[in-house]
Amino acid sequence: MMGRLTMGASALYQGVVTHARFAPRRHRLRYRIFMLLLDLDELSSVMGRLKLLAAGRFGLLSFRAADHGDKTGGDLKAYAQGVLAEAGIVADGPVRLLCMPRILGYGFNPLSLYFCHHADGELAAILYEVRNTFGERHSYLAAVPVQADVVRQTAPKRFYVSPFMDMDLAYDFEVTPPGEAVAVTIAVRRGDEPVLTASFAGDRAPLTDAALLKAWLRHPLLSFKVIAGIHWEAVRILARGIGLRRRPPPPAHPVTLGKPA
């Protein structure tokens, strides 16, 4: 089962992001990206051996801990385990972060995932870290009580992300944990009515300088492409006559609890 930690190393995943909007107007987009899977226990050794992935500084590609968690740049594993402990979830094993790197100093991760494991390698919980274009972030957390190849979880929407979507919605997460491939699908719904589905599906490659260079050559402006794509799609949605929703204050608590679906 993919719920058990079996790969034992950080990795690179290259794949496709797909968005499909169903209401109030149909709309679809698709583009290719790559993401890093970083085992936070081996983060220092991984960053030390890679010449093309800079640690906490400007580079062709770089990773900054302060882009995630509580923004302090501290130990991200301790941060994730602390969030889980507050929710009564014990995860005393590896924690792996799936995210995009910064490109030429710029980075934007609409969604990053922490795969948090028990000491025996079984998946304990997934922490979904969401960021909007207003500089705010919020997380959704759900336990994984039963191991399965595909993890299904759900949570109420509590955080403003898109100015074209209402707040009275729910998220259904469907995740194939990292192995030879990884897949993440978020279905947004109002009651039983589907509103939008966003997904990423990627294939695993070793996290090496050669693989990073190849991925960068395919996507030399990855971070810029993502943020530009978000704003371009906003223009297209506005042109379809979909009105803006007022942005409410961020949630009082930084983490919303979900549950298995």
Side-chain angles (χ1 to χ4, degrees), residues 211-261:
L212 285 171
L213 180 59
K214 185 176 180 180
W216 178 78
L217 288 172
R218 288 179 174 175
H219 314 281
L221 298 175
L222 174 67
S223 304
F224 304 94
K225 178 176 74 173
V226 170
I227 195 67
I230 289 172
H231 287 93
W232 174 239
E233 289 305 314
V235 171
R236 294 179 64 188
I237 292 171
L238 277 172
R240 289 171 175 257
I242 300 176
L244 299 176
R245 275 62 170 174
R246 179 175 298 179
R247 178 161 61 103
H253 195 276
V255 180
T256 293
L257 295 181
K259 60 183 181 180

Side-chain angles (χ1 to χ4, degrees), residues 21-36:
R21 179 182 289 272
F22 306 105
R25 301 281 193 280
R26 288 190 173 271
H27 184 70
R28 187 177 180 87
L29 69 112
R30 183 178 185 274
Y31 56 91
R32 300 191 65 84
I33 67 168
F34 68 93
M35 301 187 78
L36 307 179

Side-chain angles (χ1 to χ4, degrees), residues 66 80 101-102 119 131 135 149 167 180 188 195 209 215 219 235 252-253:
R102 284 177 173 254
R131 183 175 173 183
D149 291 339
M167 293 298 296
E180 289 300 329
V188 186
V195 176
D209 282 320
H219 314 281
V235 171
H253 195 276

